[in-house]
PDB file of all heavy atoms in Angstrom:
ATOM      1  N   ARG Y 287    -125.018 131.688 225.909  1.00 98.00           N
ATOM      2  CA  ARG Y 287    -124.881 132.853 226.781  1.00 98.00           C
ATOM      3  C   ARG Y 287    -123.667 133.683 226.371  1.00 98.00           C
ATOM      4  O   ARG Y 287    -123.726 134.916 226.335  1.00 98.00           O
ATOM      5  CB  ARG Y 287    -124.760 132.395 228.233  1.00 98.00           C
ATOM      6  CG  ARG Y 287    -124.636 133.495 229.258  1.00 98.00           C
ATOM      7  CD  ARG Y 287    -125.888 134.337 229.362  1.00 98.00           C
ATOM      8  NE  ARG Y 287    -127.060 133.581 229.768  1.00 98.00           N
ATOM      9  CZ  ARG Y 287    -128.272 134.084 229.838  1.00 98.00           C
ATOM     10  NH1 ARG Y 287    -128.483 135.355 229.536  1.00 98.00           N
ATOM     11  NH2 ARG Y 287    -129.303 133.335 230.190  1.00 98.00           N
ATOM     12  N   GLU Y 288    -122.560 133.017 226.047  1.00 98.00           N
ATOM     13  CA  GLU Y 288    -121.362 133.734 225.618  1.00 98.00           C
ATOM     14  C   GLU Y 288    -121.598 134.431 224.278  1.00 98.00           C
ATOM     15  O   GLU Y 288    -121.169 135.567 224.071  1.00 98.00           O
ATOM     16  CB  GLU Y 288    -120.177 132.773 225.515  1.00 98.00           C
ATOM     17  CG  GLU Y 288    -118.900 133.378 224.950  1.00 98.00           C
ATOM     18  CD  GLU Y 288    -118.365 134.550 225.760  1.00 98.00           C
ATOM     19  OE1 GLU Y 288    -118.688 134.663 226.975  1.00 98.00           O
ATOM     20  OE2 GLU Y 288    -117.624 135.371 225.187  1.00 98.00           O
ATOM     21  N   LEU Y 289    -122.301 133.768 223.371  1.00 98.00           N
ATOM     22  CA  LEU Y 289    -122.594 134.390 222.085  1.00 98.00           C
ATOM     23  C   LEU Y 289    -123.499 135.612 222.269  1.00 98.00           C
ATOM     24  O   LEU Y 289    -123.308 136.647 221.624  1.00 98.00           O
ATOM     25  CB  LEU Y 289    -123.246 133.376 221.137  1.00 98.00           C
ATOM     26  CG  LEU Y 289    -122.357 132.207 220.717  1.00 98.00           C
ATOM     27  CD1 LEU Y 289    -123.123 131.268 219.785  1.00 98.00           C
ATOM     28  CD2 LEU Y 289    -121.080 132.696 220.033  1.00 98.00           C
ATOM     29  N   GLY Y 290    -124.482 135.490 223.143  1.00 98.00           N
ATOM     30  CA  GLY Y 290    -125.347 136.629 223.425  1.00 98.00           C
ATOM     31  C   GLY Y 290    -124.578 137.795 224.002  1.00 98.00           C
ATOM     32  O   GLY Y 290    -124.841 138.961 223.676  1.00 98.00           O
ATOM     33  N   ARG Y 291    -123.600 137.499 224.861  1.00 98.00           N
ATOM     34  CA  ARG Y 291    -122.769 138.555 225.442  1.00 98.00           C
ATOM     35  C   ARG Y 291    -122.005 139.309 224.357  1.00 98.00           C
ATOM     36  O   ARG Y 291    -121.723 140.508 224.500  1.00 98.00           O
ATOM     37  CB  ARG Y 291    -121.784 137.937 226.442  1.00 98.00           C
ATOM     38  CG  ARG Y 291    -121.005 138.944 227.262  1.00 98.00           C
ATOM     39  CD  ARG Y 291    -119.921 138.269 228.086  1.00 98.00           C
ATOM     40  NE  ARG Y 291    -118.863 137.714 227.242  1.00 98.00           N
ATOM     41  CZ  ARG Y 291    -117.877 138.438 226.697  1.00 98.00           C
ATOM     42  NH1 ARG Y 291    -117.819 139.743 226.885  1.00 98.00           N
ATOM     43  NH2 ARG Y 291    -116.950 137.852 225.949  1.00 98.00           N
ATOM     44  N   ARG Y 292    -121.724 138.632 223.274  1.00 98.00           N
ATOM     45  CA  ARG Y 292    -120.992 139.243 222.156  1.00 98.00           C
ATOM     46  C   ARG Y 292    -121.937 139.924 221.151  1.00 98.00           C
ATOM     47  O   ARG Y 292    -121.534 140.220 220.038  1.00 98.00           O
ATOM     48  CB  ARG Y 292    -120.166 138.165 221.437  1.00 98.00           C
ATOM     49  CG  ARG Y 292    -119.056 137.575 222.293  1.00 98.00           C
ATOM     50  CD  ARG Y 292    -118.463 136.329 221.635  1.00 98.00           C
ATOM     51  NE  ARG Y 292    -117.438 135.733 222.465  1.00 98.00           N
ATOM     52  CZ  ARG Y 292    -116.136 135.675 222.150  1.00 98.00           C
ATOM     53  NH1 ARG Y 292    -115.718 136.191 221.000  1.00 98.00           N
ATOM     54  NH2 ARG Y 292    -115.276 135.110 222.963  1.00 98.00           N
ATOM     55  N   GLU Y 293    -123.169 140.126 221.550  1.00 97.00           N
ATOM     56  CA  GLU Y 293    -124.181 140.768 220.706  1.00 97.00           C
ATOM     57  C   GLU Y 293    -124.485 139.953 219.453  1.00 97.00           C
ATOM     58  O   GLU Y 293    -124.746 140.480 218.367  1.00 97.00           O
ATOM     59  CB  GLU Y 293    -123.783 142.200 220.334  1.00 97.00           C
ATOM     60  CG  GLU Y 293    -123.640 143.103 221.557  1.00 97.00           C
ATOM     61  CD  GLU Y 293    -123.375 144.559 221.202  1.00 97.00           C
ATOM     62  OE1 GLU Y 293    -122.842 144.830 220.097  1.00 97.00           O
ATOM     63  OE2 GLU Y 293    -123.703 145.430 222.031  1.00 97.00           O
ATOM     64  N   ILE Y 294    -124.465 138.637 219.618  1.00 98.00           N
ATOM     65  CA  ILE Y 294    -124.923 137.717 218.579  1.00 98.00           C
ATOM     66  C   ILE Y 294    -126.407 137.472 218.827  1.00 98.00           C
ATOM     67  O   ILE Y 294    -126.786 136.872 219.827  1.00 98.00           O
ATOM     68  CB  ILE Y 294    -124.136 136.395 218.620  1.00 98.00           C
ATOM     69  CG1 ILE Y 294    -122.649 136.642 218.360  1.00 98.00           C
ATOM     70  CG2 ILE Y 294    -124.716 135.379 217.646  1.00 98.00           C
ATOM     71  CD1 ILE Y 294    -122.341 137.220 217.005  1.00 98.00           C
ATOM     72  N   LEU Y 295    -127.246 137.951 217.914  1.00 97.00           N
ATOM     73  CA  LEU Y 295    -128.693 137.878 218.112  1.00 97.00           C
ATOM     74  C   LEU Y 295    -129.316 136.663 217.459  1.00 97.00           C
ATOM     75  O   LEU Y 295    -130.392 136.216 217.863  1.00 97.00           O
ATOM     76  CB  LEU Y 295    -129.363 139.139 217.536  1.00 97.00           C
ATOM     77  CG  LEU Y 295    -129.354 140.413 218.386  1.00 97.00           C
ATOM     78  CD1 LEU Y 295    -127.960 140.876 218.739  1.00 97.00           C
ATOM     79  CD2 LEU Y 295    -130.133 141.507 217.674  1.00 97.00           C
ATOM     80  N   ASN Y 296    -128.659 136.138 216.435  1.00 97.00           N
ATOM     81  CA  ASN Y 296    -129.274 135.102 215.615  1.00 97.00           C
ATOM     82  C   ASN Y 296    -128.235 134.043 215.276  1.00 97.00           C
ATOM     83  O   ASN Y 296    -127.213 134.356 214.652  1.00 97.00           O
ATOM     84  CB  ASN Y 296    -129.837 135.750 214.343  1.00 97.00           C
ATOM     85  CG  ASN Y 296    -130.638 134.804 213.486  1.00 97.00           C
ATOM     86  OD1 ASN Y 296    -130.246 133.673 213.273  1.00 97.00           O
ATOM     87  ND2 ASN Y 296    -131.755 135.284 212.961  1.00 97.00           N
ATOM     88  N   VAL Y 297    -128.494 132.800 215.678  1.00 98.00           N
ATOM     89  CA  VAL Y 297    -127.567 131.695 215.435  1.00 98.00           C
ATOM     90  C   VAL Y 297    -128.226 130.672 214.515  1.00 98.00           C
ATOM     91  O   VAL Y 297    -129.364 130.254 214.749  1.00 98.00           O
ATOM     92  CB  VAL Y 297    -127.153 131.008 216.755  1.00 98.00           C
ATOM     93  CG1 VAL Y 297    -126.404 129.712 216.490  1.00 98.00           C
ATOM     94  CG2 VAL Y 297    -126.290 131.942 217.587  1.00 98.00           C
ATOM     95  N   LEU Y 298    -127.505 130.283 213.471  1.00 98.00           N
ATOM     96  CA  LEU Y 298    -127.955 129.215 212.585  1.00 98.00           C
ATOM     97  C   LEU Y 298    -127.179 127.962 212.949  1.00 98.00           C
ATOM     98  O   LEU Y 298    -125.950 127.929 212.859  1.00 98.00           O
ATOM     99  CB  LEU Y 298    -127.705 129.599 211.131  1.00 98.00           C
ATOM    100  CG  LEU Y 298    -128.247 128.636 210.070  1.00 98.00           C
ATOM    101  CD1 LEU Y 298    -129.772 128.545 210.139  1.00 98.00           C
ATOM    102  CD2 LEU Y 298    -127.805 129.076 208.673  1.00 98.00           C
ATOM    103  N   LEU Y 299    -127.892 126.936 213.387  1.00 98.00           N
ATOM    104  CA  LEU Y 299    -127.273 125.665 213.774  1.00 98.00           C
ATOM    105  C   LEU Y 299    -127.232 124.752 212.559  1.00 98.00           C
ATOM    106  O   LEU Y 299    -128.266 124.327 212.051  1.00 98.00           O
ATOM    107  CB  LEU Y 299    -128.083 125.022 214.905  1.00 98.00           C
ATOM    108  CG  LEU Y 299    -127.637 123.634 215.378  1.00 98.00           C
ATOM    109  CD1 LEU Y 299    -126.213 123.669 215.929  1.00 98.00           C
ATOM    110  CD2 LEU Y 299    -128.600 123.092 216.430  1.00 98.00           C
ATOM    111  N   GLU Y 300    -126.032 124.493 212.063  1.00 97.00           N
ATOM    112  CA  GLU Y 300    -125.820 123.568 210.940  1.00 97.00           C
ATOM    113  C   GLU Y 300    -124.865 122.492 211.443  1.00 97.00           C
ATOM    114  O   GLU Y 300    -123.654 122.682 211.423  1.00 97.00           O
ATOM    115  CB  GLU Y 300    -125.221 124.282 209.732  1.00 97.00           C
ATOM    116  CG  GLU Y 300    -126.163 125.251 209.037  1.00 97.00           C
ATOM    117  CD  GLU Y 300    -125.638 125.679 207.672  1.00 97.00           C
ATOM    118  OE1 GLU Y 300    -125.080 124.830 206.950  1.00 97.00           O
ATOM    119  OE2 GLU Y 300    -125.779 126.856 207.337  1.00 97.00           O
ATOM    120  N   ALA Y 301    -125.408 121.399 211.885  1.00 96.00           N
ATOM    121  CA  ALA Y 301    -124.586 120.406 212.570  1.00 96.00           C
ATOM    122  C   ALA Y 301    -125.049 118.992 212.221  1.00 96.00           C
ATOM    123  O   ALA Y 301    -125.917 118.790 211.372  1.00 96.00           O
ATOM    124  CB  ALA Y 301    -124.647 120.647 214.076  1.00 96.00           C
ATOM    125  N   GLY Y 302    -124.453 118.041 212.914  1.00 94.00           N
ATOM    126  CA  GLY Y 302    -124.815 116.647 212.722  1.00 94.00           C
ATOM    127  C   GLY Y 302    -125.816 116.187 213.763  1.00 94.00           C
ATOM    128  O   GLY Y 302    -126.337 116.971 214.568  1.00 94.00           O
ATOM    129  N   ALA Y 303    -126.042 114.876 213.770  1.00 95.00           N
ATOM    130  CA  ALA Y 303    -127.088 114.302 214.613  1.00 95.00           C
ATOM    131  C   ALA Y 303    -126.839 114.545 216.102  1.00 95.00           C
ATOM    132  O   ALA Y 303    -127.782 114.811 216.858  1.00 95.00           O
ATOM    133  CB  ALA Y 303    -127.206 112.802 214.338  1.00 95.00           C
TER     134      ALA Y 303
END
Side-chain angles (χ1 to χ4, degrees):
R287 181 66 61 185
E288 174 60 23
L289 294 180
R291 188 188 68 79
R292 295 168 182 246
E293 298 185 335
I294 298 298
L295 279 59
N296 187 317
V297 169
L298 186 63
L299 176 61
E300 290 193 39

